[in-house]
Amino acid sequence: MTHPNPHGAIPTPNHLVWHRRERYGFVHFTQNTFTDKEWGFGDEDPAGFNPTALDCGQWVEAAKAGGLTALILTAKHHDGFCLWPTATTPHNISRSPFRGGKGDLVRELAEACRAGGIDFGLYCSPWDRNHAEYGRSGYVETYHAQWKELLTNYGPLCELWFDGANGGDGYYGGAREKRSIDAQVYYHFEELWAECRRLQPGALLFSDGGPGLRWCGNESGFSGFTSWCKVNPAGAFPGKVDDHSRLPLGEADGTVWRPVEVDVSIRPGWFFHPHERPRTGEELFNIWLSSVGQNAGMLLNLAPDRRGLIPSEDLVSLNRFKHLVDAFTAVDLARGKPVEATSTAFGSPAHAVDGNPETYWAAGETSAVLTIDFGTEERLAGIRLEEAIQFGQRVEAFSVEMRMWNTWTEVFRGTTIGAQRIVKFNQARGRQVRVKILGAQAPAVLRGVRVYGG
Ligand code: FUL
């Protein structure tokens, strides 16, 4: 055997691609942008959807300015208005003045993402407050047919979003009443997801409970301090997760790999509202630390305005955000420095600091210490630890210590690591750093230890 045996649940190839994505974007844009709402009732007049200067290329540039590696568009939100000329309902973009009724926003963004070199994904709300048949079987067929159009006409999709909201009342073709469904059975998700997998084999499927990615359980921008990529799938469905605390934390004994996605908006709302202001770059950086830095993906929502453009003040925040991440991660003091480890089963400990994501150091025991020597005393801004997750997520507890003169000081104590754990230090200095694996389900396999200077 030349490499460690996998331990427990392991990621699929799609997950491994997703884990490298780290931060990517959402776009919430529809009738709500023009009506100043977050949830349209479903009776909005298509004539109201009328962006005057829409430019998806500008959205892609904004995303890239923030370092986002994909965009996921609300092709249909809860109000049922479809941003592509669907054959499934007249309540769609072809009835609006946009591009003289010839517009297809899904296509425009798909093409802009491709041209800009970022990936593209789609959100199509199960809940549809416009459709007359919502709550009955007729709508479920329509909903599956909508996905089929989206899955087959717009090229490769990286992620498919199944929202959990099912708020009850709506227009429903004029009935204007409350309709309740049981999300677990009504939408026939298993059937739909089989079709998604067949038509878009590279896409990950998101909902509160998975099956590809799970929700973090909040819309404020953080995953758990303890964050397992593993969960037990029983009792988790879109819009219905029996134990909410499992969402941010995951489960140490989880049998499936279903990592956390942190969805959070750059503005207070998901949609643009003229009176709201975007978060600052500093706030986005802190969200990055508490999401990407805590073993999750950061799905940052952008909200184009009524012109159909990302507002300039949001661009300022996105640029500042990327600058802060780039500055924080610019100098890796550990790269190529002398390393010692208390035990090794596979791979040299030097692989932890060689900057190569394919190589790793595997400890020989569940407690182990890795020591890096910078040679001179340095100012230390933070650390990034990465497990080689293709062998499973193992570490349960770790600490980071620094040596100044002859004294070792613990500067951080954490629990899980996962794909990445990023920690910012305050005013730290040291000549050596040691990472102590204090507990693990199986001997730790670390593919990366970066110590940021600054
Ligand atoms: C929620 C929805 O109700 C919000 O409108 C938004 O789309 C958010 C991302 O998910 O469940």
Side-chain angles (χ1 to χ4, degrees), residues 214-241:
R214 70 177 198 268
W215 187 38
C216 59
N218 66 78
E219 293 179 343
S220 310
F222 61 91
S223 56
F225 184 86
T226 294
S227 176
W228 292 101
C229 291
K230 311 186 262 194
V231 286
N232 291 305
F237 309 95
K240 204 171 157 190
V241 175

PDB file of all heavy atoms in Angstrom, residues 214-241:
ATOM      1  N   ARG A 214     -25.146  20.620   1.723  1.00  0.00           N
ATOM      2  CA  ARG A 214     -26.177  20.954   2.704  1.00  0.00           C
ATOM      3  C   ARG A 214     -26.084  22.434   3.077  1.00  0.00           C
ATOM      4  O   ARG A 214     -25.032  23.066   2.900  1.00  0.00           O
ATOM      5  CB  ARG A 214     -26.059  20.073   3.947  1.00  0.00           C
ATOM      6  CG  ARG A 214     -24.850  20.364   4.814  1.00  0.00           C
ATOM      7  CD  ARG A 214     -24.838  19.498   6.072  1.00  0.00           C
ATOM      8  NE  ARG A 214     -23.964  20.025   7.100  1.00  0.00           N
ATOM      9  CZ  ARG A 214     -22.705  19.685   7.251  1.00  0.00           C
ATOM     10  NH1 ARG A 214     -22.126  18.841   6.424  1.00  0.00           N
ATOM     11  NH2 ARG A 214     -21.986  20.222   8.230  1.00  0.00           N
ATOM     12  N   TRP A 215     -27.172  22.944   3.612  1.00  0.00           N
ATOM     13  CA  TRP A 215     -27.256  24.335   4.056  1.00  0.00           C
ATOM     14  C   TRP A 215     -26.549  24.474   5.402  1.00  0.00           C
ATOM     15  O   TRP A 215     -26.527  23.536   6.208  1.00  0.00           O
ATOM     16  CB  TRP A 215     -28.739  24.706   4.189  1.00  0.00           C
ATOM     17  CG  TRP A 215     -29.030  26.134   4.481  1.00  0.00           C
ATOM     18  CD1 TRP A 215     -28.388  27.232   3.985  1.00  0.00           C
ATOM     19  CD2 TRP A 215     -30.072  26.634   5.329  1.00  0.00           C
ATOM     20  NE1 TRP A 215     -28.973  28.376   4.458  1.00  0.00           N
ATOM     21  CE2 TRP A 215     -29.999  28.036   5.291  1.00  0.00           C
ATOM     22  CE3 TRP A 215     -31.058  26.016   6.110  1.00  0.00           C
ATOM     23  CZ2 TRP A 215     -30.875  28.846   6.009  1.00  0.00           C
ATOM     24  CZ3 TRP A 215     -31.932  26.821   6.821  1.00  0.00           C
ATOM     25  CH2 TRP A 215     -31.835  28.216   6.775  1.00  0.00           C
ATOM     26  N   CYS A 216     -26.052  25.690   5.669  1.00  0.00           N
ATOM     27  CA  CYS A 216     -25.366  25.934   6.946  1.00  0.00           C
ATOM     28  C   CYS A 216     -26.364  26.228   8.059  1.00  0.00           C
ATOM     29  O   CYS A 216     -25.974  26.304   9.232  1.00  0.00           O
ATOM     30  CB  CYS A 216     -24.386  27.085   6.796  1.00  0.00           C
ATOM     31  SG  CYS A 216     -25.180  28.612   6.275  1.00  0.00           S
ATOM     32  N   GLY A 217     -27.645  26.451   7.712  1.00  0.00           N
ATOM     33  CA  GLY A 217     -28.652  26.685   8.751  1.00  0.00           C
ATOM     34  C   GLY A 217     -28.854  28.138   9.107  1.00  0.00           C
ATOM     35  O   GLY A 217     -29.622  28.448  10.019  1.00  0.00           O
ATOM     36  N   ASN A 218     -28.168  29.065   8.424  1.00  0.00           N
ATOM     37  CA  ASN A 218     -28.364  30.499   8.683  1.00  0.00           C
ATOM     38  C   ASN A 218     -28.067  31.245   7.388  1.00  0.00           C
ATOM     39  O   ASN A 218     -27.505  30.679   6.455  1.00  0.00           O
ATOM     40  CB  ASN A 218     -27.442  30.985   9.816  1.00  0.00           C
ATOM     41  CG  ASN A 218     -25.971  30.927   9.421  1.00  0.00           C
ATOM     42  OD1 ASN A 218     -25.472  31.778   8.691  1.00  0.00           O
ATOM     43  ND2 ASN A 218     -25.260  29.885   9.858  1.00  0.00           N
ATOM     44  N   GLU A 219     -28.470  32.522   7.380  1.00  0.00           N
ATOM     45  CA  GLU A 219     -28.169  33.338   6.194  1.00  0.00           C
ATOM     46  C   GLU A 219     -27.249  34.495   6.582  1.00  0.00           C
ATOM     47  O   GLU A 219     -27.237  35.552   5.956  1.00  0.00           O
ATOM     48  CB  GLU A 219     -29.480  33.836   5.563  1.00  0.00           C
ATOM     49  CG  GLU A 219     -30.286  32.670   4.969  1.00  0.00           C
ATOM     50  CD  GLU A 219     -31.607  33.073   4.349  1.00  0.00           C
ATOM     51  OE1 GLU A 219     -32.092  34.188   4.635  1.00  0.00           O
ATOM     52  OE2 GLU A 219     -32.167  32.268   3.578  1.00  0.00           O
ATOM     53  N   SER A 220     -26.495  34.295   7.665  1.00  0.00           N
ATOM     54  CA  SER A 220     -25.638  35.364   8.194  1.00  0.00           C
ATOM     55  C   SER A 220     -24.164  35.171   7.880  1.00  0.00           C
ATOM     56  O   SER A 220     -23.340  36.014   8.221  1.00  0.00           O
ATOM     57  CB  SER A 220     -25.796  35.455   9.717  1.00  0.00           C
ATOM     58  OG  SER A 220     -27.146  35.511  10.058  1.00  0.00           O
ATOM     59  N   GLY A 221     -23.808  34.043   7.294  1.00  0.00           N
ATOM     60  CA  GLY A 221     -22.434  33.925   6.813  1.00  0.00           C
ATOM     61  C   GLY A 221     -21.487  33.082   7.633  1.00  0.00           C
ATOM     62  O   GLY A 221     -20.285  33.327   7.609  1.00  0.00           O
ATOM     63  N   PHE A 222     -21.969  32.075   8.334  1.00  0.00           N
ATOM     64  CA  PHE A 222     -20.998  31.232   9.054  1.00  0.00           C
ATOM     65  C   PHE A 222     -21.403  29.765   9.063  1.00  0.00           C
ATOM     66  O   PHE A 222     -22.578  29.425   9.076  1.00  0.00           O
ATOM     67  CB  PHE A 222     -20.809  31.723  10.495  1.00  0.00           C
ATOM     68  CG  PHE A 222     -22.064  31.696  11.318  1.00  0.00           C
ATOM     69  CD1 PHE A 222     -22.396  30.579  12.065  1.00  0.00           C
ATOM     70  CD2 PHE A 222     -22.932  32.785  11.322  1.00  0.00           C
ATOM     71  CE1 PHE A 222     -23.564  30.549  12.806  1.00  0.00           C
ATOM     72  CE2 PHE A 222     -24.108  32.763  12.064  1.00  0.00           C
ATOM     73  CZ  PHE A 222     -24.426  31.639  12.805  1.00  0.00           C
ATOM     74  N   SER A 223     -20.385  28.926   9.064  1.00  0.00           N
ATOM     75  CA  SER A 223     -20.602  27.496   9.320  1.00  0.00           C
ATOM     76  C   SER A 223     -20.138  27.230  10.745  1.00  0.00           C
ATOM     77  O   SER A 223     -19.723  28.148  11.456  1.00  0.00           O
ATOM     78  CB  SER A 223     -19.826  26.650   8.308  1.00  0.00           C
ATOM     79  OG  SER A 223     -18.473  26.983   8.325  1.00  0.00           O
ATOM     80  N   GLY A 224     -20.187  25.973  11.177  1.00  0.00           N
ATOM     81  CA  GLY A 224     -19.854  25.670  12.562  1.00  0.00           C
ATOM     82  C   GLY A 224     -18.371  25.830  12.853  1.00  0.00           C
ATOM     83  O   GLY A 224     -17.538  25.672  11.973  1.00  0.00           O
ATOM     84  N   PHE A 225     -18.062  26.132  14.106  1.00  0.00           N
ATOM     85  CA  PHE A 225     -16.657  26.108  14.555  1.00  0.00           C
ATOM     86  C   PHE A 225     -16.164  24.676  14.381  1.00  0.00           C
ATOM     87  O   PHE A 225     -15.072  24.439  13.873  1.00  0.00           O
ATOM     88  CB  PHE A 225     -16.596  26.548  16.034  1.00  0.00           C
ATOM     89  CG  PHE A 225     -15.203  26.659  16.566  1.00  0.00           C
ATOM     90  CD1 PHE A 225     -14.477  27.833  16.411  1.00  0.00           C
ATOM     91  CD2 PHE A 225     -14.615  25.603  17.237  1.00  0.00           C
ATOM     92  CE1 PHE A 225     -13.184  27.937  16.899  1.00  0.00           C
ATOM     93  CE2 PHE A 225     -13.334  25.704  17.734  1.00  0.00           C
ATOM     94  CZ  PHE A 225     -12.614  26.868  17.569  1.00  0.00           C
ATOM     95  N   THR A 226     -16.992  23.730  14.804  1.00  0.00           N
ATOM     96  CA  THR A 226     -16.796  22.330  14.430  1.00  0.00           C
ATOM     97  C   THR A 226     -17.590  22.130  13.156  1.00  0.00           C
ATOM     98  O   THR A 226     -18.765  22.465  13.093  1.00  0.00           O
ATOM     99  CB  THR A 226     -17.337  21.387  15.521  1.00  0.00           C
ATOM    100  OG1 THR A 226     -16.550  21.557  16.687  1.00  0.00           O
ATOM    101  CG2 THR A 226     -17.294  19.930  15.067  1.00  0.00           C
ATOM    102  N   SER A 227     -16.943  21.603  12.116  1.00  0.00           N
ATOM    103  CA  SER A 227     -17.619  21.508  10.829  1.00  0.00           C
ATOM    104  C   SER A 227     -17.210  20.213  10.124  1.00  0.00           C
ATOM    105  O   SER A 227     -16.136  20.136   9.526  1.00  0.00           O
ATOM    106  CB  SER A 227     -17.254  22.748   9.994  1.00  0.00           C
ATOM    107  OG  SER A 227     -17.806  22.677   8.717  1.00  0.00           O
ATOM    108  N   TRP A 228     -18.072  19.213  10.238  1.00  0.00           N
ATOM    109  CA  TRP A 228     -17.827  17.946   9.539  1.00  0.00           C
ATOM    110  C   TRP A 228     -18.466  18.008   8.150  1.00  0.00           C
ATOM    111  O   TRP A 228     -19.569  18.541   8.004  1.00  0.00           O
ATOM    112  CB  TRP A 228     -18.445  16.777  10.310  1.00  0.00           C
ATOM    113  CG  TRP A 228     -17.771  16.495  11.614  1.00  0.00           C
ATOM    114  CD1 TRP A 228     -18.191  16.862  12.850  1.00  0.00           C
ATOM    115  CD2 TRP A 228     -16.519  15.808  11.803  1.00  0.00           C
ATOM    116  NE1 TRP A 228     -17.289  16.440  13.799  1.00  0.00           N
ATOM    117  CE2 TRP A 228     -16.251  15.780  13.188  1.00  0.00           C
ATOM    118  CE3 TRP A 228     -15.596  15.197  10.938  1.00  0.00           C
ATOM    119  CZ2 TRP A 228     -15.113  15.182  13.733  1.00  0.00           C
ATOM    120  CZ3 TRP A 228     -14.462  14.600  11.474  1.00  0.00           C
ATOM    121  CH2 TRP A 228     -14.224  14.594  12.850  1.00  0.00           C
ATOM    122  N   CYS A 229     -17.784  17.457   7.160  1.00  0.00           N
ATOM    123  CA  CYS A 229     -18.396  17.330   5.829  1.00  0.00           C
ATOM    124  C   CYS A 229     -19.362  16.161   5.804  1.00  0.00           C
ATOM    125  O   CYS A 229     -20.041  15.943   4.804  1.00  0.00           O
ATOM    126  CB  CYS A 229     -17.319  17.096   4.769  1.00  0.00           C
ATOM    127  SG  CYS A 229     -16.265  18.511   4.494  1.00  0.00           S
ATOM    128  N   LYS A 230     -19.392  15.399   6.877  1.00  0.00           N
ATOM    129  CA  LYS A 230     -20.197  14.167   6.899  1.00  0.00           C
ATOM    130  C   LYS A 230     -21.514  14.385   7.652  1.00  0.00           C
ATOM    131  O   LYS A 230     -21.533  15.114   8.645  1.00  0.00           O
ATOM    132  CB  LYS A 230     -19.426  13.062   7.612  1.00  0.00           C
ATOM    133  CG  LYS A 230     -17.999  12.900   7.118  1.00  0.00           C
ATOM    134  CD  LYS A 230     -17.307  11.720   7.728  1.00  0.00           C
ATOM    135  CE  LYS A 230     -16.413  12.080   8.895  1.00  0.00           C
ATOM    136  NZ  LYS A 230     -15.490  10.979   9.260  1.00  0.00           N
ATOM    137  N   VAL A 231     -22.559  13.731   7.177  1.00  0.00           N
ATOM    138  CA  VAL A 231     -23.834  13.711   7.906  1.00  0.00           C
ATOM    139  C   VAL A 231     -24.480  12.339   7.729  1.00  0.00           C
ATOM    140  O   VAL A 231     -24.118  11.580   6.836  1.00  0.00           O
ATOM    141  CB  VAL A 231     -24.854  14.771   7.399  1.00  0.00           C
ATOM    142  CG1 VAL A 231     -24.478  16.157   7.819  1.00  0.00           C
ATOM    143  CG2 VAL A 231     -25.050  14.683   5.895  1.00  0.00           C
ATOM    144  N   ASN A 232     -25.458  12.083   8.583  1.00  0.00           N
ATOM    145  CA  ASN A 232     -26.326  10.915   8.379  1.00  0.00           C
ATOM    146  C   ASN A 232     -27.558  11.414   7.643  1.00  0.00           C
ATOM    147  O   ASN A 232     -28.200  12.366   8.093  1.00  0.00           O
ATOM    148  CB  ASN A 232     -26.684  10.284   9.721  1.00  0.00           C
ATOM    149  CG  ASN A 232     -25.456   9.638  10.338  1.00  0.00           C
ATOM    150  OD1 ASN A 232     -24.817   8.801   9.714  1.00  0.00           O
ATOM    151  ND2 ASN A 232     -25.086  10.058  11.536  1.00  0.00           N
ATOM    152  N   PRO A 233     -27.877  10.812   6.490  1.00  0.00           N
ATOM    153  CA  PRO A 233     -28.903  11.407   5.630  1.00  0.00           C
ATOM    154  C   PRO A 233     -30.343  11.274   6.136  1.00  0.00           C
ATOM    155  O   PRO A 233     -31.205  12.020   5.678  1.00  0.00           O
ATOM    156  CB  PRO A 233     -28.738  10.659   4.307  1.00  0.00           C
ATOM    157  CG  PRO A 233     -28.035   9.391   4.635  1.00  0.00           C
ATOM    158  CD  PRO A 233     -27.225   9.638   5.874  1.00  0.00           C
ATOM    159  N   ALA A 234     -30.600  10.381   7.072  1.00  0.00           N
ATOM    160  CA  ALA A 234     -31.999  10.184   7.494  1.00  0.00           C
ATOM    161  C   ALA A 234     -32.574  11.481   8.053  1.00  0.00           C
ATOM    162  O   ALA A 234     -31.907  12.209   8.790  1.00  0.00           O
ATOM    163  CB  ALA A 234     -32.071   9.088   8.549  1.00  0.00           C
ATOM    164  N   GLY A 235     -33.812  11.784   7.678  1.00  0.00           N
ATOM    165  CA  GLY A 235     -34.501  12.943   8.242  1.00  0.00           C
ATOM    166  C   GLY A 235     -34.107  14.278   7.633  1.00  0.00           C
ATOM    167  O   GLY A 235     -34.427  15.325   8.184  1.00  0.00           O
ATOM    168  N   ALA A 236     -33.421  14.288   6.475  1.00  0.00           N
ATOM    169  CA  ALA A 236     -33.023  15.554   5.840  1.00  0.00           C
ATOM    170  C   ALA A 236     -33.591  15.630   4.428  1.00  0.00           C
ATOM    171  O   ALA A 236     -33.269  14.799   3.583  1.00  0.00           O
ATOM    172  CB  ALA A 236     -31.502  15.675   5.809  1.00  0.00           C
ATOM    173  N   PHE A 237     -34.434  16.618   4.201  1.00  0.00           N
ATOM    174  CA  PHE A 237     -35.071  16.824   2.898  1.00  0.00           C
ATOM    175  C   PHE A 237     -35.032  18.318   2.591  1.00  0.00           C
ATOM    176  O   PHE A 237     -34.832  19.126   3.498  1.00  0.00           O
ATOM    177  CB  PHE A 237     -36.534  16.364   2.930  1.00  0.00           C
ATOM    178  CG  PHE A 237     -36.688  14.973   3.466  1.00  0.00           C
ATOM    179  CD1 PHE A 237     -36.969  14.775   4.807  1.00  0.00           C
ATOM    180  CD2 PHE A 237     -36.523  13.886   2.638  1.00  0.00           C
ATOM    181  CE1 PHE A 237     -37.085  13.487   5.319  1.00  0.00           C
ATOM    182  CE2 PHE A 237     -36.636  12.599   3.140  1.00  0.00           C
ATOM    183  CZ  PHE A 237     -36.916  12.401   4.481  1.00  0.00           C
ATOM    184  N   PRO A 238     -35.295  18.706   1.324  1.00  0.00           N
ATOM    185  CA  PRO A 238     -35.366  20.141   1.040  1.00  0.00           C
ATOM    186  C   PRO A 238     -36.474  20.778   1.880  1.00  0.00           C
ATOM    187  O   PRO A 238     -37.606  20.300   1.881  1.00  0.00           O
ATOM    188  CB  PRO A 238     -35.710  20.193  -0.450  1.00  0.00           C
ATOM    189  CG  PRO A 238     -35.299  18.870  -0.992  1.00  0.00           C
ATOM    190  CD  PRO A 238     -35.486  17.886   0.129  1.00  0.00           C
ATOM    191  N   GLY A 239     -36.148  21.796   2.609  1.00  0.00           N
ATOM    192  CA  GLY A 239     -37.145  22.507   3.397  1.00  0.00           C
ATOM    193  C   GLY A 239     -37.580  21.767   4.642  1.00  0.00           C
ATOM    194  O   GLY A 239     -38.521  22.189   5.309  1.00  0.00           O
ATOM    195  N   LYS A 240     -36.903  20.683   4.973  1.00  0.00           N
ATOM    196  CA  LYS A 240     -37.366  19.885   6.105  1.00  0.00           C
ATOM    197  C   LYS A 240     -36.190  19.081   6.669  1.00  0.00           C
ATOM    198  O   LYS A 240     -35.815  18.048   6.095  1.00  0.00           O
ATOM    199  CB  LYS A 240     -38.452  18.926   5.590  1.00  0.00           C
ATOM    200  CG  LYS A 240     -39.412  18.453   6.642  1.00  0.00           C
ATOM    201  CD  LYS A 240     -40.530  17.702   5.974  1.00  0.00           C
ATOM    202  CE  LYS A 240     -41.182  16.771   6.965  1.00  0.00           C
ATOM    203  NZ  LYS A 240     -42.113  15.849   6.351  1.00  0.00           N
ATOM    204  N   VAL A 241     -35.600  19.603   7.708  1.00  0.00           N
ATOM    205  CA  VAL A 241     -34.492  18.887   8.338  1.00  0.00           C
ATOM    206  C   VAL A 241     -34.871  18.707   9.792  1.00  0.00           C
ATOM    207  O   VAL A 241     -35.109  19.686  10.502  1.00  0.00           O
ATOM    208  CB  VAL A 241     -33.171  19.675   8.204  1.00  0.00           C
ATOM    209  CG1 VAL A 241     -32.045  18.993   8.961  1.00  0.00           C
ATOM    210  CG2 VAL A 241     -32.797  19.819   6.734  1.00  0.00           C
TER     211      VAL A 241
END
